[in-house]
Structure formats: C-alpha cells, structure tokens
Amino acid sequence: MLLRVKRAMERSGSYLAGLAGLGLLFALSSIAASLGMGYLSGRAAQMPLGRLGAAALGLLCLFAVECGLEWGYYALRGRFLARGRQCLQLRCVGGLARASMPWLQGQDSGQILSKLQNELQTTAEWVCQTLPDTLLQAMRVLLFAGVMLGISLPLALLYLAAVAAATLVQVWMSKPIQGRAAAVQQARAQANGLAREILTQRTVIKAYRARSLVLQWYRRLSGQWLRQTVGTELVASPLKTLGWVCGVLPSFLLCVSGALLVQRGTLELSAFLSVYFLADLMLNDCMHVVDLFLQHRKGRAAAQGLWAILEAPAEEEGPAGRWQPKPGAPVLRLEHVSFRYRETGPWVLHDLDLAVAPGEKVALVGESGSGKSTVLRLVQGFLEPQQGRLLLEGVPYGQTPRAIRRQQMAAVPQFPFLFAGTLWENVDLGQGWVQQPEPLYRQACIQDFLKALPQGDRTMVGEGGQDLSGGQRQRVALARGLAKEAPLLLLDEATSALDPATEKQVMHTLAGLPQGQAVLAVTHRLAGLAAFDRICVMEQGRIVEQGSLEELLGQEGAFAKLWRAGEGALA
C-alpha cells in the first residue's frame, strides 16, 4: 500500500533522498554534541579556564549546526507534504473524472468528500511526514546505539535490551489502532455526508420544517462518530502511560549500572556521561517511534480508503483509431435495444428500435417512467444495454472510442449544473468553441437577462449557478450545447423551466439549426412539439406510435389521448 501511494506522488524519491541526507547529518551532529557534553561535563573541573571557555564555545557551535540541520530537515519535510498533498488531490480528482458511471453511481458522495478531505490529509502526512520521520528516528537510534556500544559494551547492551523490550511492548499494544481508525473514518464520512445534504437541501428542510428530523439523524451519526473516537482514545491512552513507564525504567537501570561501573573504576565519568546523554536522545527517539507506529496504522487505514478513488475503474475508451462514419447512415440508431437497471429487475426498455437521420428533429414523449430519459443515458454511453446495440453514424458503439462518441453529441439536461465561474466560462468550458458569442446568446435567449448582469458574460454565477434562476441556468446550458455544434443535440426536458414566450424562441432556434445537425429531445411540453419532424410515443419501454404532430393527432391513438389530457398527463 505504501509503495502504491508513493508511486502516485511525483518526485517522492528525490524528496525522501534529500530528507535522508539531512537526517544523517542531523544525527551525526547530535552524536558530536552529546560526546562533547559528556567530555566537557566529566572533565570540566580539571580543565584550565581558557581551555574550558574554548571547549564551551566549540560546543555552542555544534549546537548551532545541529539546530540548522534540524530546521532544514523540517522545512524540506513541510515542502514535501505540501507537494505530496497537492499531487494526491490531483490524482484523486483525475481518478473521479475518469471513473466509470456505474462505479460513481454506487458511491456515497459524502464518503467521497470525506476521503478527499480527511483521508487524503492523513495519507499525505503518512507518506510525507511519518515515513521520513520513521527513517530519521531509526537512523538516529542505530547510530546512537553503535556509539554507545563503542564506549561501554556492557552498559550499552543492558540499556538497549531494556529499551527494545519496552518499544516492542508498545508496538504490540498499538495493533488495534488501525481497525479503530478505519471505524472512526467511516463514522466521520457518514456524518459529513449528512451535513452536506443538509447544506444542499436547506430549502427543502425549511419549506417542510424538517429541522428536528435532520438534527435527529445527525445526532445519531455524530454519536456513532463520538463513540468510535472515544473507543480509539481508550485504546491509545494506556500507550501514553506505558510510554512514560518504559522511559523511566531504562533510564533508572542506566544510572544505577553506570554509577556502579564508575565507582569500581571500570568506566570513566566522562564516558558514562556521554553514554547518558546519547541514551537520553535515543530514548526520546524510541518513544517517538512508538507514536510513529500509531500514525503508521492510522495512515494505512486512511490510504486504503483513499486507494478506492485512486484505483477507481476508469471508463473503457474503446478501440483506438480514426473516426470513419459510414456515408448515408443515420446519425443515431438503436437496434433491438433492451435494458434494465438490475440483473433481476424489470425491463425498462423492450426491443427498442429508433433511427435519427441527419438534420432530423425527433421528440420522445410519454408518461413518467416510460423510459425516455433512459434512452438518452444509453445514447450518451452512461448506461450499457443488455440486449441490442447502438450505432453512431453507422458505426457500432463497441467499435467507436468513447471520446469520439461524446465529441459527436452535445447534451442539455433538465437540471443543468453550472460551475462557480463566469457565465462565459460555463458556456465555453475552456474548449474555444465560439469566438463571437453574441449570435449564440441570441439563439439561446440569453441576451434579455445578460444586460442586467453587472459584468455581462464575465459575471460570476455562483456555486452551482445559484445566482441565476432555473430558467436562466437552462438557457446557459442550451448555449453550451449549441456552441459545440455537434452532429447530434440531446435535450432532456431542456425547456421545462422556461416561460412560454422564451420556449417559443428556443423552438425557433431549433428549427434554424445548421443543416445536418440532428436533435433527439425528451419533452412533456406539448406546445413545442410542432417544431419536431417526428414524435415518438413511448409506453412501458416501447415506441407505440411515431409520426408528425398532425399524423399522430389524426390517428386517435395513444398520443391523441395524451394531447386531450393536456400537459399534466406527461408531467
């Protein structure tokens, strides 16, 4: 897991190498300073005043070097963390952008956001802080132990055995932390997900006075989060007490054993003091290693959750190659298409056949649940049929790269999403489709409200386009679809939020589309059906009638009944 996350970060190897080099120099400077303190403390009484002052000055210089190396280490580590966090964020967002629709539909948005915020930060700290610090502490402990063994073998062995036993006990006791950390992250993600829903659906909550209900839900989820957090702390708290005990006992053994060796004359006082100063540094590092093991376990649990995003199954792009449409073929064709959302669920579409010729404008009408929007999702490639096939300009979908398929169509949804950018940025999406936007704005009926915006099309529209009305957002989305000038324009209730006058203008725009540009629209607005060349009536996943408006009204069939019932039957 650690190697996978490291590979997801750019230049992690160079940062780790730089930190290792600084850590080695830092450890060597600490050893030199400890030996200097031991020598100076043990022999200060016998040294002349001038020599003592020179030794003290040299020791101060060593301390200054040690402080400088420590500052350099932590500065580089901070830069590594910032770069690593940014790299993980880019990889995660890129993974979500490439992820397949079935995978995205099976995820909880609150948990995804929690992973992008909490698990991502914990994972970045694990790789960019915990890992380098662990290597630094291990390096320092090994160097300190080697020097101590060189000064006094029996004293060093006794102390190292006591420290090793204390460290292993604490590491063993930290094993439950990883599972506890994963449970805390899960509970936190659920609470954050509900908080996001409360924020995004605040109008529904206020309109239906559902404040007490959502607070009850959040109280339950936050209570689970609290219980998991408290349980984790109860497991981790004894480790802190044990760490203090494990720190005192080795030091006690060192002082008693060292005093006996000095008293017997087998060890000089300056040598004992050097060992003592080194042991004090090593003990702090060992206790830090135990804390790092706790961070390792939490980081590993976070990385496992984040890895689900980094390794999310990407959409299959399909075969490579040039786009070679067949001359004279329909822009879109569905052949015997059947679809259901679950393997054991009911069929939503049954043996559906539909062809849209170049320049033809086709409308799908029918009662709610008849399968109209499902057809559009199949056409866009967000769903895959269980039976039958789809063809784009005579080429089967399975033989067409997904990117090319989507390049050949533009979609305008019923509830369009606008980014928190300018109006023009939401129309163009960085594609450079249109150099002169004024004619496009007239086609999409934007010019009437554009003049009222403080900065025209450079006005920020707010998060999700909240500074615009529903109808204004639909017109911006329509302008986006028209700007692409794709061979196939898909409209899913694209005029549902427009007033009759604006809708009439939009229908006039559709009638004046460039020759060869086809339209496939889902609509329940009967007033605009005259603008379509063909109307397909759907019932229970089948096309039961099709023809022009006049032809269908003259047949006195399913469409005529809907027409007489009015728009309410199609809502």
Side-chain angles (χ1 to χ4, degrees):
M1 178 62 67
L2 178 60
L3 293 177
R4 289 178 177 179
V5 177
K6 281 177 60 181
R7 283 195 294 267
M9 294 184 177
E10 298 176 356
R11 299 179 58 191
S12 60
S14 59
Y15 276 107
L16 289 174
L19 289 171
L22 283 174
L24 177 60
L25 294 175
F26 179 37
L28 292 176
S29 65
S30 298
I31 291 173
S34 298
L35 293 177
M37 284 193 300
Y39 178 82
L40 187 61
S41 301
R43 301 193 177 185
Q46 293 82 25
M47 295 175 65
L49 186 60
R51 186 177 177 185
L52 180 61
L57 182 60
L59 190 58
L60 287 175
C61 292
L62 278 176
F63 286 146
V65 171
E66 184 180 11
C67 290
L69 290 171
E70 185 178 16
W71 174 85
Y73 174 85
Y74 286 112
L76 182 60
R77 193 192 70 173
R79 181 178 177 84
F80 183 26
L81 174 61
R83 292 291 298 271
R85 180 172 53 237
Q86 181 193 34
C87 187
L88 277 180
Q89 288 171 337
L90 293 175
R91 291 295 181 92
C92 287
V93 173
L96 290 175
R98 293 189 303 270
S100 64
M101 286 300 298
W103 184 86
L104 289 171
Q105 291 168 353
Q107 303 301 309
D108 182 86
S109 60
Q111 293 192 14
I112 291 292
L113 289 175
S114 179
K115 289 176 181 179
L116 290 177
Q117 295 168 358
N118 302 309
E119 275 85 336
L120 188 145
Q121 177 67 23
T122 303
T123 302
E125 291 176 352
W126 177 44
V127 176
C128 303
Q129 285 187 349
T130 306
L131 176 61
D133 285 356
T134 303
L135 296 176
L136 172 64
Q137 304 305 325
M139 185 189 308
R140 286 168 60 89
V141 167
L142 291 176
L143 290 174
F144 293 161
V147 175
M148 290 170 61
L149 290 170
I151 296 174
S152 175
L153 182 61
L155 187 62
L157 287 176
L158 177 64
Y159 183 77
L160 291 175
V163 170
T167 303
L168 289 176
V169 169
Q170 293 183 81
V171 170
W172 176 76
M173 291 188 64
S174 70
K175 286 185 177 181
I177 296 295
Q178 182 173 340
R180 292 275 184 176
V184 170
Q185 291 160 4
Q186 178 72 14
R188 178 173 55 199
Q190 293 176 348
N192 289 341
L194 179 58
R196 175 182 174 275
E197 290 182 351
I198 293 173
L199 180 62
T200 57
Q201 302 301 323
R202 54 191 179 273
T203 55
V204 176
I205 295 172
K206 290 182 179 296
Y208 289 90
R209 303 180 65 184
R211 176 176 174 273
S212 58
L213 176 62
V214 295
L215 285 179
Q216 177 184 347
W217 290 345
Y218 191 79
R219 190 177 294 110
R220 175 175 55 83
L221 293 178
S222 63
Q224 295 175 359
W225 182 6
L226 175 63
R227 287 191 294 273
Q228 294 293 348
T229 303
V230 171
T232 303
E233 290 300 321
L234 289 176
V235 173
S237 295
L239 294 177
K240 300 176 182 178
T241 304
L242 181 63
W244 180 83
V245 174
C246 292
V248 170
L249 290 179
S251 298
F252 175 76
L253 290 175
L254 177 68
C255 290
V256 172
S257 303
L260 290 175
L261 292 175
V262 172
Q263 188 178 23
R264 292 176 183 175
T266 57
L267 184 66
E268 293 185 2
L269 178 60
S270 60
F272 166 69
L273 291 174
S274 296
V275 171
Y276 178 81
F277 290 133
L278 287 170
D280 183 60
L281 291 175
M282 187 176 73
L283 181 62
N284 290 332
D285 290 339
C286 288
M287 295 302 101
H288 193 195
V289 166
V290 175
D291 293 335
L292 291 173
F293 264 99
L294 296 177
Q295 298 303 319
H296 271 297
R297 297 190 186 281
K298 293 179 180 179
R300 184 175 179 83
Q304 288 175 343
L306 193 67
W307 196 250
I309 297 178
L310 292 172
E311 287 295 298
E315 282 188 326
E316 296 181 2
E317 290 298 328
R322 298 178 59 187
W323 173 239
Q324 297 179 339
K326 295 183 178 179
V331 173
L332 175 69
R333 186 175 187 86
L334 285 75
E335 293 183 347
H336 306 291
V337 170
S338 296
F339 173 80
R340 56 185 175 184
Y341 285 95
R342 297 185 304 275
E343 290 299 324
T344 58
W347 291 98
V348 179
L349 300 177
H350 303 267
D351 197 31
L352 189 69
D353 281 296
L354 176 66
V356 181
E360 186 180 19
K361 298 168 183 62
V362 178
L364 299 179
V365 301
E367 295 182 351
S368 177
S370 59
K372 306 183 298 297
S373 295
T374 301
V375 171
L376 293 190
R377 297 181 70 186
L378 285 167
V379 171
Q380 294 176 79
F382 295 146
L383 300 174
E384 299 288 341
Q386 283 84 7
Q387 298 176 12
R389 64 174 185 169
L390 290 86
L391 299 91
L392 185 65
E393 298 191 75
V395 182
Y397 270 32
Q399 301 176 17
T400 310
R402 192 182 300 270
I404 291 180
R405 291 208 308 263
R406 289 179 177 164
Q407 186 179 354
Q408 302 302 111
M409 60 185 73
V412 182
Q414 180 179 6
F415 304 106
F417 179 83
L418 302 186
F419 295 94
T422 66
L423 186 146
W424 170 244
E425 288 171 340
N426 276 281
V427 171
D428 186 65
L429 292 180
Q431 303 297 317
W433 286 320
V434 179
Q435 301 301 322
Q436 297 295 330
E438 287 76 13
L440 177 66
Y441 292 157
R442 286 195 295 271
Q443 287 181 310
C445 304
I446 290 178
Q447 76 281 357
D448 59 341
F449 73 85
L450 190 64
K451 297 177 182 179
L453 298 179
Q455 295 179 321
D457 63 358
R458 307 301 167 176
T459 302
M460 302 294 291
V461 299
E463 181 182 0
Q466 63 182 5
D467 293 344
L468 302 179
S469 68
Q472 290 171 342
R473 288 196 293 270
Q474 277 197 334
R475 282 179 272 178
V476 172
L478 178 61
R480 179 193 298 168
L482 294 174
K484 192 175 182 181
E485 296 185 347
L488 178 62
L489 178 62
L490 305 174
L491 306 177
D492 188 1
E493 307 282 12
T495 61
S496 59
L498 302 183
D499 59 85
T502 305
E503 182 183 17
K504 185 176 181 180
Q505 295 180 45
V506 170
M507 291 303 164
H508 180 72
T509 296
L510 294 181
L513 288 177
Q515 186 177 7
Q517 186 173 14
V519 177
L520 178 62
V522 168
T523 182
H524 68 268
R525 302 286 288 265
L526 300 178
L529 291 179
F532 292 90
D533 302 315
R534 181 158 49 103
I535 302 169
C536 298
V537 185
M538 296 190 64
E539 286 185 358
Q540 298 181 352
R542 294 181 173 88
I543 295 177
V544 295
E545 286 182 350
Q546 54 182 314
S548 66
L549 178 62
E550 293 77 9
E551 291 172 347
L552 292 178
L553 289 175
Q555 292 177 10
E556 291 295 326
F559 179 79
K561 294 179 181 178
L562 292 174
W563 182 271
R564 285 193 295 269
E567 291 189 358
L570 295 173

